[in-house]
Amino acid sequence: MELVGKRALVNGGSRGIGAAIAIVLAEKGADVAITYQRSPDRAAIVVRSIEEKSRRGLAIQADSADPEAINRAVTETVDTLGGLDILVNSAGVATAGMTADLSLADLQAMLDVNVRAPVLFAQAAIPHLSSGGRIISIGSSLAERVPFPGVTAYAMSKSALLSFTRGLSRELGPQGITVNLVSPGSTDTEMNPANGENADYQRSLTSLGRFGEPHEIASAVAFLASPAANLITGAVLNVDAGFNA
Ligand code: NAP
C-alpha cells in the first residue's frame, strides 16, 4: 500500500495495458482517474474494479488527439481527486503497413496520440505536481530497434518518447518530480493479441519466447511510481521478454 494518498491519472485506461496499470495503482492505494476514447462500458468496469479496492475511481471520455479534451481531463481529475501526483501516458494507437501505403489520417493519429498527447498531458499536469510526483509514459520495444518492416511510423512515434522522457527529467528534476519510460515488448492486448497472425514470429524475437501480460507491464509502472524508485529518472525500462537483449 505504498501509494496510499496518491492521486493518479492514466490516459487510455479502459482496456489492455492502461487498464492493468489503473488497477495495480489502486491496489497499491492510489485513487485513480482514467481516460478513454470510445469504450465507456470497459472504462466503467475498470472504475468498478478500482472502487472494489476501496479507492476513488473516475472515468473521463477524452480523445487524446484533442488538446482541449486533454486539459479538461486533467482539470476534472484534479477537481474530483483533490490533486494529482502520478501521470501515466498509456493511450496509444498503432497502424501497421508499409510507409509507402500509410494514409495521412493514420500517420496523423499516431503522431497526435502517441507523441503530442504525452507532451500536452504533461503540460497540463505539471502545475499540479509537487516533489515526489511522477510522469511515466508507455513507449515500445519498437523504438531503439526496428527488427522487421511494416511498423516504421509507429516505431518513430514511440522513439520520440525516449528524448521526451530524458529531456523532461532534466526540466523537472529540480522540483523532485521523476520522469520515466516503460517500454513493453509484445503484450497480449486487443492491439496485439498473442494469438494474432504474426504472434509466433514476435515470440521468436524474444529471449523468453513469449508475450507479456498487461499486469506484467503494470507492475513495472507501479514500481516506478513507488518511493522505491525515488532515484530513478530519465530512465527507460524495457519490459519485453528480452526482445531488446
Ligand atoms: P489497446 O489494447 O488497443 O488499448 C488502447 C487504449 O488506449 C484503450 O484504453 C483506448 O481507449 C485508448 N486510446 C486509444 N486511442 C485513444 C485516444 N485517441 N484517446 C484516448 N484514449 C485512446 O492497446 P495496448 O496494447 O493496451 O497499448 C497500450 C500502450 O502500450 C500503447 O501506448 C501502445 O502503443 C503500447 N504498447 C503496446 C504493446 C503491445 O504489444 N500491446 C507493445 C508495446 C507498446 P478506448 O478503449 O476508448 O478505445
Side-chain angles (χ1 to χ4, degrees):
M1 299 299 280
E2 50 206 347
L3 298 180
V4 170
K6 302 291 185 190
R7 288 85 35 113
L9 170 60
V10 181
N11 57 49
S14 51
R15 296 186 280 122
I17 291 170
I21 292 168
I23 289 165
V24 79
L25 293 180
E27 269 166 14
K28 304 269 178 197
D31 294 326
V32 185
I34 61 169
T35 70
Y36 64 95
Q37 184 187 20
R38 52 186 153 211
S39 307
D41 297 346
R42 307 284 294 274
I45 291 169
V46 175
V47 168
R48 271 205 298 284
S49 179
I50 293 165
E51 289 171 346
E52 277 163 16
K53 294 166 196 2
S54 303
R55 299 296 140 197
R56 286 182 296 172
L58 170 71
I60 304 165
Q61 200 282 333
D63 181 356
S64 279
D66 175 356
E68 280 180 24
I70 290 173
N71 282 329
R72 181 174 45 75
V74 172
T75 301
E76 196 175 333
T77 301
V78 169
D79 288 350
T80 306
L81 301 183
L84 182 62
D85 305 286
I86 300 163
L87 169 67
V88 181
N89 293 308
S90 184
V93 288
T95 303
M98 294 300 183
T99 302
D101 305 322
L102 185 66
S103 74
L104 183 58
D106 286 338
L107 174 61
Q108 192 67 56
M110 285 189 275
L111 295 176
D112 285 353
V113 177
N114 299 355
V115 180
R116 190 176 69 173
V119 179
L120 297 182
F121 266 103
Q123 281 186 331
I126 286 166
H128 304 286
L129 297 174
S130 55
S131 184
R134 302 283 194 253
I135 297 177
I136 302 164
S137 300
I138 304 302
S140 171
S141 55
L142 293 173
E144 309 225 41
R145 294 179 60 234
V146 187
F148 45 82
V151 291
T152 305
Y154 173 73
M156 178 187 76
S157 74
K158 288 299 186 177
S159 70
L161 296 178
L162 296 167
S163 39
F164 173 63
T165 297
R166 291 168 179 144
L168 195 61
S169 80
R170 298 285 186 187
E171 295 180 16
L172 300 183
Q175 298 170 47
I177 298 164
T178 68
V179 186
N180 291 296
L181 184 66
V182 171
S183 292
S186 303
T187 307
D188 185 17
T189 67
E190 284 156 47
M191 179 185 281
N192 188 14
N195 60 0
E197 221 171 69
N198 63 357
D200 284 339
Y201 175 61
Q202 292 180 53
R203 271 186 276 275
S204 76
L205 298 174
T206 67
S207 303
L208 295 176
R210 71 175 180 90
F211 271 48
E213 296 295 331
H215 71 87
E216 294 176 300
I217 311 304
S219 58
V221 173
F223 164 67
L224 288 170
S226 77
N230 274 348
L231 195 60
I232 301 175
T233 193
V236 180
L237 181 51
N238 293 328
V239 187
D240 66 357
F243 180 96
N244 268 307

